[in-house]
Every structure is written in structure tokens, then in C-alpha cells.
Amino acid sequence: MKSPLLFLPGAVPAEGVDEGVAAHYGDLFREQRALAGGTGFVDLSHRGVVSVTGDDRLSWLHLLLTQHVSDLPTGQATEALILSAHGHIEHALYLVDDGTTVWAHVEPGTQDALIAYLESMKFFYRVDVADRTGEFAVVHLPAGSIAEVPEGVVVRETPYGRDLFLPRADLESYAEKSGPAVGLLAYEALRVEHHRPRLGFETDHRTIPHELGWIGTAVHLQKGCYRGQETVARVQNLGKPPRRLVFLHLDGSEVHLPPAGADIRLADEGPDGRKIGFVTTSVRHHELGPVALALVKRNIPLDARLMADSTAAAQEAVVEP
């Protein structure tokens, strides 16, 4: 779904899964500094929006999600996953309940598969699931923002800012009053800085929550049964995940960033050494320079010198070995 804000001056479209919104508006580092300073807004209107209504909405979702939501207070933001039977991550939901409806935004293009799964699990529960992407656009206000929120708009308040479920018809008028617009690349740079994983970026077909640090934030360890719980409990109680998320400081003298999927090897083993992981997201940060998130084998020493593609890299642990 193409955003009308792509017609703002300087807008450069994002590509790939983020197609439909602006990557930036002409000045990447200025936009990052604005967002870090609590000004501007980010157009996330390409993300899917799903609603769940009905008297059983919270108790029903509690049975399906990794998060404890049966008693979710009105207005309290949370995030949750849906796992496969083997514990692999299939969906990530960013939720809030407004007292009558659970609202969730999800990765672009994943809402159809998510809704199909939820519909298959309704049984006798009093719930209605709907795709609201065509009616509502997600807009992000950074932490510290004093921008006004229109009356009646549902808000997810998090430590990183506020996510607004704004009527899509109001997106242009809201942008006129709440600028400056900040592109998705600035939002992604701050996401990487804060070590926040993203479905489809930090995940592949075999990722489990422990590898990304999603235990606690999106997975509640003291709740009842849900699909994939056996894997979560087994790894939590008996072992360690096979991989771990790391934050990489990349050699700033290199012109090009290692792309997502680039192999990571031990520097001491040279370019033909064994592959020990891969880059998941790489960005240029306005203060930190070139940085990245990556998945590496759990037993790689924290002080090991790494190569991300052909770029030297030093790691910080996000998930401890």
C-alpha cells in the first residue's frame, strides 16, 4: 500500500519488504538526530494492522500467543510471538487493548497469514478478527515527542515512543501538523542501536526466541500452554540456543556496508574460513558510525575478531553466550 507521504519533498522510496513508505527525505543523519531528540514522526503505514474484538478476545489470544495477555490492562502496550510446533518464530505482534478491541501491527504483508491462522483457531470463542490495514496507518512518534495525538486515536506507549493507529484518511493532514517527516532508515538505525530484533530481518525459518533476546519482552515463561512452548521451556531449563544475537561495530573505513545475509567468519581464519553466522541488519548511525545486528554461533568468544563479508567487525553481546 503506497503512502501519500511519498509525495513530500525529498522523499526517496524504501525497497523490498518496506516498499510503500519513504526510506528517507533527503538527509539521513539529520532525520536520525531529530528522531533521537524526540522530534518528527515516522510513516509506518505499510505495516499490517489487525484487530480482535469480542468478549473472549484476551483469554483467547492468551492461548495462542507467547505473551501473558489474559489480564492485559487497557492501554498497556506489549509484544508477542506466534511459534510453530517446533518453537520457531512465525509471527511477531505489537499489541494494545483499548478496552473493547485488541489492536496489533505486524510486519508488512504478514497479516493475511496471521489472520488465516487466527481464524483457524476460533472454535467456539466469541471473537472477531479483521484486517484493518486499509483503514488504519501506523505512525511512530519517538520517545520524548510532545506532538499531539488526535482525539480517539489508539496509542501504543513504549519506552521507544508511541505507535499511533491513525485513520488512513487522516495521514496527510496529520503529517502537515506533526512534521518533520523522518524516513524508515532513521527508524531502523535507532532500532539497531537499541538491539531490537525484527521479524524477517533477525529471523529465519529456524529462529527460536532465545536467540534474539525475546524472552521476557515477547515471551512470558510462567504462562499456560501455547504452540511451541515445549521448545521454549526445554531451551530455557536445560540448555542454550544454538545461535545468539550480537551488535557489531563495523570498520568505518569501508565504503559499503555488508548487506543482510553476508557471511560472518573469524578474522584469524581468513576469507576462506568457516562461516559462523550472518549479518541481519546493517545501518549507518549518526553517532556510532556503521553498525549491524548479526546472528552468530553461541560458542564464539566475545573477544573474537570477526569479518562481516570483507569488513572487520567487533561484537557486543545482545544475548549472552
Side-chain angles (χ1 to χ4, degrees):
M1 189 167 293
K2 193 171 184 178
S3 172
L5 303 192
L6 284 172
F7 296 102
L8 291 177
V12 175
E15 299 178 345
V17 69
D18 289 321
E19 182 180 2
V21 296
H24 61 84
Y25 294 90
D27 192 337
L28 175 61
F29 290 150
R30 178 190 61 78
E31 293 169 36
Q32 280 190 38
R33 288 191 291 269
L35 204 62
T39 60
F41 71 93
V42 185
D43 176 13
L44 300 178
S45 61
H46 63 315
R47 291 184 64 82
V49 176
V50 176
S51 69
V52 182
T53 56
D55 292 342
D56 296 334
R57 66 189 183 281
L58 291 176
S59 59
W60 175 67
L61 285 171
H62 185 78
L63 299 173
L64 305 177
L65 305 180
T66 57
Q67 188 58 273
H68 196 299
V69 297
S70 60
D71 301 312
L72 184 66
T74 299
Q76 179 175 306
T78 192
E79 55 189 80
L81 309 175
I82 290 178
L83 307 180
S84 73
H86 298 291
H88 301 139
I89 300 168
E90 293 188 343
H91 294 282
L93 297 81
Y94 299 85
L95 305 160
V96 68
D97 183 81
D98 67 3
T100 62
T101 303
V102 173
W103 295 86
H105 64 80
V106 299
E107 288 298 325
T110 64
Q111 63 267 26
D112 288 347
L114 171 63
I115 290 171
Y117 171 70
L118 294 177
E119 288 285 351
S120 74
M121 302 300 291
K122 283 173 66 172
F123 303 116
F124 56 85
Y125 290 95
R126 295 169 296 173
V127 293
D128 288 298
V129 181
D131 182 354
R132 310 297 294 276
T133 310
E135 304 166 68
F136 291 90
V138 180
V139 171
H140 176 77
L141 299 176
S145 172
I146 59 172
E148 292 186 9
V149 176
E151 186 176 355
V153 168
V154 176
V155 178
R156 287 187 73 251
E157 186 92 34
T158 78
Y160 307 103
R162 290 173 287 171
D163 297 335
L164 280 54
F165 292 86
L166 188 73
R168 191 170 288 274
D170 298 341
L171 184 57
E172 286 185 87
S173 62
Y174 184 80
E176 292 175 1
K177 296 181 291 186
S178 306
V182 172
L184 193 68
L185 289 180
Y187 179 84
E188 283 289 281
L190 298 192
R191 177 181 72 81
V192 170
E193 177 192 3
H194 295 135
H195 307 165
R196 296 167 57 204
R198 183 177 172 190
L199 182 77
F201 287 65
E202 279 61 58
T203 67
D204 58 19
H205 67 283
R206 59 192 180 96
T207 306
I208 61 175
H210 307 72
E211 295 177 322
L212 303 184
W214 253 330
I215 300 298
T217 59
V219 179
H220 195 287
L221 294 175
Q222 278 77 50
K223 63 158 288 185
C225 191
Y226 55 88
R227 190 173 70 174
Q229 186 192 25
E230 289 185 2
T231 297
V232 170
R234 184 169 61 250
V235 174
Q236 185 68 22
N237 296 322
L238 301 177
K240 296 280 189 176
R243 303 176 296 182
R244 58 183 176 86
L245 187 66
V246 297
F247 179 74
L248 298 180
H249 292 273
L250 302 171
D251 181 359
S253 65
E254 295 287 342
V255 175
H256 301 289
L257 290 172
D263 290 347
I264 295 178
R265 293 179 167 83
L266 292 171
D268 293 344
E269 295 185 1
D272 296 324
R274 61 194 172 101
K275 176 182 173 182
I276 61 162
F278 59 94
V279 173
T280 59
T281 306
S282 59
V283 297
R284 295 192 185 276
H285 191 276
H286 70 285
E287 289 184 339
L288 301 174
V291 292
L293 293 175
L295 275 175
V296 300
K297 292 183 177 180
R298 177 179 56 83
N299 59 358
I300 298 301
L302 289 174
D303 59 354
R305 296 187 305 121
L306 305 180
M307 296 294 293
D309 203 358
S310 60
T311 302
Q315 60 171 312
E316 290 182 17
V318 177
V319 175
E320 293 298 325

